[in-house]
Amino acid sequence: MSVRVCSFESRRCQEMATLIAKFGGEPTVAPSMREIPLEENTHAINFAERIIQGEIDTVLFMTGVGARTLFEAIQKQRDWKSFHQELDRRVIIVRGPKPVPVLKEAKIHIDYRAPEPNTWREILEMLDSESIPLQNQEIAVQEYGRPNLEFYSGLEQRGAKVYPVPVYLWDFPEDVEPLYEAVRLAVNNPFDLVMFTSANQVDNVLEAAEKIGMRENLLNALKQSTIASIGPTCSDRLREFGIPVAMEPSHPKMAHLIREAIELVQNSQTEP
């Protein structure tokens, strides 16, 4: 029996559709987000100046796309050599694997890397287990999407002074109709499986449903589907809206998510 699968993946939508079909699903992939770099990124320039002046002790890179966007903005408007030299003297932390190649390409060392599933909770646990000094330390956090106030509170409780560095914002895709159509499909005939790969994705999907007057209908429909989440941060956002999460993959990677989620649904379909 075929598994009807809906995904709201944007950046890797074609790969998502291919993998869903490969693992036995019938894909509906509707991009839900578009990354918008801040037009006049004064945050990036201020960050660069503070690094050069020695005012920041630790830098935390949360995403690869964000790190690259930040570096490109600084290269266009400031002395990259001075910035690079000073940044490489700081304590550098990465949330997960995606910032790693960006920093290696820029020849910036990495001191610490949070373990899987690479959420802010693992960052705090790593800071504690490694006894990384935070008292009266200025820590710059490259943000992605909405600021994580709970994470910032955890850093401040450990004595740190948090300096947020927003890099890009989220908007809807230029063509939003496929997203609206996916919402209508989910409401009229709930999917067997719905997959979410980021917390921001959850926000955009529900906002899109609101725009076409189907938010409550969608929330009810999602409770009739098996919901798969890429990891704890995304799961927390889903649960905030009362959406039950059936599974997270063994590793927070797209292929693991798709294969394991489809297997879960297929096994439930064959149970007597």
Side-chain angles (χ1 to χ4, degrees):
M1 186 175 178
S2 179
V3 177
R4 295 174 58 247
V5 184
C6 182
S7 165
F8 299 101
E9 175 64 26
S10 301
R11 192 186 312 147
R12 301 168 65 187
C13 57
Q14 293 300 325
E15 182 182 355
M16 174 66 83
T18 299
L19 287 172
I20 290 172
K22 175 183 176 182
F23 291 120
E26 179 186 328
T28 295
V29 180
S32 58
M33 301 189 308
R34 178 167 52 103
E35 292 167 6
I36 308 295
L38 298 174
E39 291 297 329
E40 296 294 333
N41 200 335
T42 57
H43 299 283
I45 306 312
N46 292 339
F47 166 69
E49 290 296 332
R50 297 197 67 190
I51 287 288
I52 292 170
Q53 296 300 322
E55 298 175 1
I56 293 172
D57 305 290
T58 301
V59 181
L60 171 57
F61 291 98
M62 301 292 278
T63 65
V65 172
R68 188 178 300 280
T69 302
L70 185 62
F71 289 165
E72 288 174 352
I74 292 168
Q75 284 173 330
K76 290 176 182 177
Q77 302 191 49
R78 284 297 182 270
D79 178 1
W80 172 258
K81 184 177 179 181
S82 297
F83 168 78
H84 182 277
Q85 288 176 342
E86 289 301 321
L87 178 63
D88 205 36
R89 293 188 177 118
R90 310 296 163 222
V91 175
I92 305 295
I93 303 171
V94 296
R95 179 176 66 106
K98 292 182 179 179
V100 173
V102 179
L103 268 64
K104 285 185 176 179
E105 181 183 329
K107 295 182 170 57
I108 300 293
H109 78 283
I110 296 171
D111 293 294
Y112 303 99
R113 175 172 161 177
E116 288 187 356
N118 314 123
T119 74
W120 60 272
R121 293 182 177 87
E122 281 70 46
I123 297 173
L124 293 179
E125 289 172 3
M126 180 197 66
L127 292 171
D128 293 339
S129 64
E130 297 286 347
S131 300
I132 301 171
L134 291 179
Q135 193 67 38
N136 297 320
Q137 298 289 294
E138 188 93 11
I139 179 168
V141 181
Q142 172 252 306
E143 290 185 340
Y144 62 110
R146 193 168 72 180
N148 189 329
L149 301 182
E150 193 172 357
F151 175 45
Y152 292 168
S153 176
L155 292 172
E156 289 166 353
Q157 288 169 14
R158 290 161 174 80
K161 300 175 182 178
V162 179
Y163 176 63
V165 185
V167 176
Y168 47 76
L169 302 172
W170 299 108
D171 200 352
F172 287 104
E174 292 182 353
D175 180 8
V176 78
E177 188 53 41
L179 177 56
Y180 291 157
E181 182 59 24
V183 169
R184 295 186 190 101
L185 287 172
V187 168
N188 294 328
N189 185 16
F191 290 94
D192 300 311
L193 172 63
V194 181
M195 296 190 291
F196 291 90
T197 51
S198 79
N200 290 305
Q201 200 177 87
V202 179
D203 294 336
N204 267 31
V205 169
L206 291 177
E207 188 175 341
E210 179 78 28
K211 286 178 180 292
I212 57 174
M214 303 187 82
R215 179 187 172 98
E216 290 305 316
N217 305 74
L218 178 62
L219 287 170
N220 290 331
L222 290 174
K223 293 173 184 176
Q224 301 176 53
S225 302
T226 296
I227 305 298
S229 161
I230 193 66
T233 301
C234 183
S235 297
D236 286 349
R237 188 63 54 78
L238 286 161
R239 293 187 183 107
E240 283 180 25
F241 296 108
I243 302 170
V245 177
M247 66 84 67
E248 295 175 5
S250 56
H251 296 283
K253 301 183 185 302
M254 183 183 289
H256 286 81
L257 173 70
I258 298 167
R259 185 183 68 249
E260 294 169 18
I262 290 177
E263 285 178 357
L264 175 67
V265 175
Q266 288 174 332
N267 291 336
S268 69
Q269 289 176 340
T270 58
E271 288 177 358

